[in-house]
Every structure is written in C-alpha cells, then in structure tokens.
Amino acid sequence: MRCRVCTSRAAVEVRRHNAAFCRDHFIDHVVRQVERTIHEFDMFDHTDRLVIGVSGGKDSLALWDILHRLGYRCEGIYLDLGIDAYSTESGEYIERFVKERDLILRVVDLQDAYGFTIPQAAESTRRSPCSACGLSKRYILNEEALKGGYDALVMGHNLDDEAATLFSNVLNWSVEYLARQKVVLPASDGLVKKVKPLVRVAERETAAYAVLSGIDYEVEECPMVAGNTVNRMKEWMALLEHRSPGVTQHFLGGFYKVGSFDAAPPVLRSCESCGRPTTGERCAFCRLQELATRS
Ligand code: Q46
Ligand code: ZN
Ligand code: ZN
C-alpha cells in the first residue's frame, strides 16, 4: 500500500476514504479534517480562549495536540473521578502530555470538590456508573468553563462516539436528545458554548494519530465501563462499518446536513441549590450529589 500523497510506503489505511497515508501525510490528513470541521461549523477562531475536557485517553489528548499545532489558545481540565488506579494513572498521562508541550491544565478532584467519587455515586444512587459519571462530567466541565471565563468548551467526541449516540437516539426516537445532538451547542444562560471538532475522525484514526505523533495515553479501559450503552451501540455500528466502509460517516454527516429535530425546548428554571438551569426544582447533579454524600 502506498501513500496517496507522496507514494512512499503507507502507514495507515483509511478504508472509508479509500486511501492510505504515510506517517506524515496521515498526521496532516487528520489535522486538516479537524481544521475543516472547525471552519465549516464556525466553531471558534484564534482570538477565542478555549478549554478542553481531557480524560487521559487518545481522543482528548489527540484533539488537544491538534488544536495546539493549529495555534489555538486551548487550556485543559481534568476531572479526577476517583476510580482507583485508573483515575490516578489517567492523570499522570495528562501531566506528562502537558509538561512536554508547556500547556495549562486545571485539575478538579471530584472527592475534594464535591465530596464523592464515581464508585460511591453509583453505589448510593443505584445508577449505572456511566450515567452518574456522564452527568457529573457535563455539570462540572460546564462549571469550570464558566468560572474560567472561556469562550468555548471543547469536547473530544469522535465520529464513532457521535454516530453511536445518534444510532441510540434514533432507535429510541428520543426526539429531545436528537434536537440537542449538535456539533456546536451555543451558549445560553448558565451554559457555556460546547463544540466537537473531532466528529470527522474515526476512533481508530485518533488512536493511529496519537501513536504516530508520540502521544502516550491511557490504553486501559475504565474498570466501570460494563453496561455503557454508547459502547454497545458502537459495536453495532462497527459491524455495519465493516460491511460497508463509510456508512458511519454517511449516517452522521447526513444527520448534520438534513436532520433537524425541532423539539420544543424545555422550560428551564434555576436550580434551588446551585442556580444552574434545570427543568425541576433541583438539578440532576445536585440530587446526585446529595445522595452520593449522604452517609
Ligand atoms: S469514565 Fe465514566 Fe467512562 Fe468509566 S464510568 Fe463510564 S463514563 S466508562 S468514558
Ligand atoms: Zn506520504
Ligand atoms: Zn443544582
């Protein structure tokens, strides 16, 4: 297999583009895909102050590296979820990444800042760990981005993550979720603007990008991942992609182009405890925190 650009020996094949690339041209290809997405959806520019939520995994570190290469002003937030050695190790990968590139990182320890860990929250609320975790991440990353006065919160969701979420939302006809599944969620009262510049890059491509760029990342899977519904949907999508290369991108890209699900926006009020927007008296995060810290 030869590189599509320079015809030297290829390092990575991208079946859905019917192309192969050498190391340098693959890195260049991924960077251009991200740059194109940023421009096409008018996500941000070089004057904006950005912050990215990083987990220590390949997607968020690869994306931060790409934004850094492209000259964007992007800082990072790591939320230590208190999942034993996994969280400690993930934090160490991020610290090394940050040091090598001289970047700015804010670390929030869930236990220190909010009084609980994800294993405790899952046990006391009987929710699945991923549901308690997702809720906590959404809430706390938004809080930190607002506190820091950033223009946008950058999320590391890749093509496969977004397509799997879309698949799940369509299978369940979750019209409200479909209406909110956007590449750019504009800021509103109490909510920071959120953007997903990695939606054109597949998971195996972010992994290849990280390896070829020398990014050392957490390869171990989270020990609490069992039952994660997005992962189950990803397995289904992977089967479809294997049989029909390109179907994942086609599915997601078509949704962005033609899919507009205009559910009536929920009526929001201020949470009685924290003041952030919610549909009930108290927001889901405050309720989770109360249960998780009750002993
Ligand atoms: S960290 Fe949290 Fe993931 Fe672990 S508990 Fe689930 S959601 S699997 S990305
Ligand atoms: Zn090449
Ligand atoms: Zn609240």
Side-chain angles (χ1 to χ4, degrees):
M1 243 182 338
R2 297 274 149 196
C3 170
R4 171 199 264 188
V5 184
C6 69
T7 72
S8 68
R9 198 190 175 89
V12 185
E13 184 187 14
V14 184
R15 274 178 76 208
R16 68 199 162 83
H17 288 169
N18 204 10
F21 300 94
C22 67
R23 175 192 172 276
D24 289 356
H25 287 123
F26 176 73
I27 289 175
D28 198 48
H29 166 75
V30 175
V31 172
R32 296 299 144 229
Q33 292 288 326
V34 170
E35 197 177 26
R36 217 179 108 202
T37 309
I38 294 167
H39 291 155
E40 187 181 320
F41 292 95
D42 200 14
M43 290 184 169
F44 43 77
D45 62 33
H46 286 90
T47 64
D48 286 324
R49 269 185 76 233
L50 312 171
V51 67
I52 183 168
V54 279
S55 65
K58 58 191 178 325
D59 299 311
S60 50
L61 291 184
L63 180 54
W64 199 0
D65 184 75
I66 294 167
L67 296 176
H68 181 55
R69 278 178 200 250
L70 290 169
Y72 289 106
R73 299 194 301 159
C74 187
E75 298 176 8
I77 306 175
Y78 172 56
L79 175 59
D80 186 322
L81 302 162
I83 307 178
D84 308 323
Y86 172 74
S87 291
T88 314
E89 243 178 61
S90 301
E92 288 165 0
Y93 281 107
I94 300 170
E95 297 282 357
R96 278 197 293 274
F97 175 91
V98 162
K99 216 179 249 169
E100 281 163 18
R101 290 160 185 80
D102 203 16
L103 295 165
I104 297 172
L105 176 73
R106 304 153 76 93
V107 179
V108 178
D109 185 298
L110 187 59
Q111 172 76 68
D112 292 349
Y114 294 92
F116 67 95
T117 63
I118 291 304
Q120 286 166 358
E123 201 186 310
S124 51
T125 60
R126 299 210 180 133
R127 290 174 81 125
S128 82
C130 293
S131 135
C133 183
L135 170 61
S136 304
K137 283 194 266 196
R138 280 193 299 281
Y139 183 91
I140 296 167
L141 290 179
N142 182 66
E143 282 301 296
E144 292 300 312
L146 287 176
K147 263 192 241 158
Y150 297 99
D151 295 298
L153 171 63
V154 181
M155 310 295 286
H157 298 85
N158 62 40
L159 170 64
D160 299 288
D161 296 325
E162 282 300 285
T165 302
L166 176 61
F167 194 31
S168 168
N169 289 340
V170 169
L171 286 180
N172 293 302
W173 285 118
S174 309
V175 178
E176 279 165 29
Y177 289 152
L178 285 165
R180 271 188 285 146
Q181 192 178 347
K182 299 206 157 88
V183 206
V184 176
L185 266 175
S188 59
D189 203 17
L191 295 172
V192 72
K193 175 177 173 179
K194 280 192 198 133
V195 294
K196 298 172 188 164
L198 208 54
V199 293
R200 274 214 181 85
V201 186
E203 194 155 302
R204 68 177 280 277
E205 292 157 22
T206 60
Y209 177 92
V211 170
L212 295 175
S213 304
I215 298 170
D216 208 9
Y217 61 89
E218 174 63 279
V219 286
E220 292 300 323
E221 207 168 33
C222 168
M224 308 202 81
V225 74
N228 183 304
T229 46
V230 173
N231 276 11
R232 210 163 53 230
M233 293 299 149
K234 264 192 201 169
E235 286 168 16
W236 287 107
M237 284 301 305
L239 288 176
L240 293 174
E241 180 69 24
H242 182 69
R243 296 295 291 267
S244 313
V247 71
T248 311
Q249 187 172 2
H250 200 65
F251 178 52
L252 187 65
F255 171 66
Y256 291 149
K257 264 194 210 127
V258 299
S260 72
F261 287 83
D262 285 329
V267 180
L268 297 176
R269 54 204 275 194
S270 294
C271 167
E272 278 177 1
S273 302
C274 70
R276 292 300 176 213
T278 178
T279 48
E281 286 174 6
R282 297 178 72 221
C283 75
F285 180 77
C286 285
R287 284 185 275 126
L288 173 79
Q289 186 183 18
E290 188 189 357
L291 285 174
T293 52
R294 200 186 271 168
S295 54

